[in-house]
Amino acid sequence: MMKNILRDITYGMYVVTSKNSGCIINTLTQVSSNNLVTISLNKDNYTNKVIKENKKFIASIISEKTNPNIISTFGFRSSKDIDKFENFDYNIIDGTKVLNENMIGYIECEVINVIDADTHDIFIAKILSTKKENDYTPMTYTYYHEVIKGTSPIKAPTYIEDTEEVYVCDVCGYVHKGPLSDDFVCPICGVDKSHFKKKEG
Ligand SMILES: Cc1cc2nc3c(=O)[nH]c(=O)nc-3n(C[C@H](O)[C@H](O)[C@H](O)COP(=O)(O)O)c2cc1C
């Protein structure tokens, strides 16, 4: 299958949070005009487990002005290992941390059904409330790839396996494909080439 055409499917970029956990997703979809949305979460993601227990989540809409460090922290590390909110501004809404970092706003949801989808679960949820905070431009998945030069980790549904040389930043987890030049710096956290380890296999 020619997977690259799947890159032409358009998505937005979101941080989905529940209690003290959160991760980046691109799979938020409005199902219908009757206030239902779906999100797709990898079964190994800690946020999946927390949302199943809490039955609620908040999806914040990332804007083009949102700090890219939010994506490296929430998209490449696990809430099981670190406090992802530590270096960011956030509010707490009904026990859930919600980032306050140039987001467009957020959608508060209650889970009404979970559907098994192989490696992922699809959560169907009812919108409880919404808040629009800024008129910035929402970040699209294409913008993330083409302007921020970001990649997707293996747990993202849109992950595409690659045969190129792959290097991973040992500070933020950013993944670079192809050879590294001597003056290469991480586009996400700014460290130099010495922090990039070649990914084997
Ligand atoms: C651009 C991007 C899109 C992603 N989309 C999803 C997604 O839709 N569903 C998902 O389960 N993980 C997705 N991920 C991966 C999770 O954000 C990542 O596995 C995270 O480390 C999980 O953290 P947690 O263990 O704290 O839940 C995406 C990551 C990136 C960078």
Side-chain angles (χ1 to χ4, degrees), residues 15-107:
V15 186
V16 64
T17 55
S18 192
K19 301 275 183 192
N20 296 326
S21 184
C23 71
I24 299 291
I25 62 162
N26 60 276
T27 49
L28 174 75
T29 304
Q30 184 175 358
V31 173
S32 60
S33 55
N34 61 348
N35 285 350
L36 294 185
V37 296
T38 57
I39 60 171
S40 166
L41 282 184
N42 192 292
K43 287 176 181 165
D44 291 338
N45 283 350
Y46 192 71
T47 309
N48 179 325
K49 174 177 138 59
V50 176
I51 292 177
K52 275 190 190 141
E53 283 164 13
N54 188 25
K55 307 240 181 304
K56 281 187 184 172
F57 63 84
I58 292 183
S60 298
I61 303 175
I62 296 176
S63 81
E64 290 182 1
K65 287 187 192 290
T66 300
N67 180 351
N69 286 340
I70 297 272
I71 301 172
S72 52
T73 305
F74 283 80
F76 291 89
R77 318 239 4 227
S78 182
S79 315
K80 177 168 84 239
D81 308 322
I82 57 159
D83 174 8
K84 295 189 185 181
F85 294 85
E86 197 180 7
N87 299 314
F88 301 113
D89 190 21
Y90 62 86
N91 298 322
I92 298 181
I93 296 161
D94 193 21
T96 286
K97 291 183 178 170
V98 182
L99 287 166
N100 206 3
E101 294 269 350
N102 286 337
M103 300 288 172
I104 307 277
Y106 64 79
I107 304 168

Side-chain angles (χ1 to χ4, degrees), residues 3-4 158-164 177 201:
K3 281 199 171 171
N4 279 344
T158 44
Y159 171 76
I160 294 177
E161 200 179 341
D162 218 304
T163 49
E164 272 185 284
K177 290 176 194 160

Side-chain angles (χ1 to χ4, degrees), residues 26 120 139 175 188:
N26 60 276
H120 286 64
M139 186 187 288
V175 178
I188 301 285

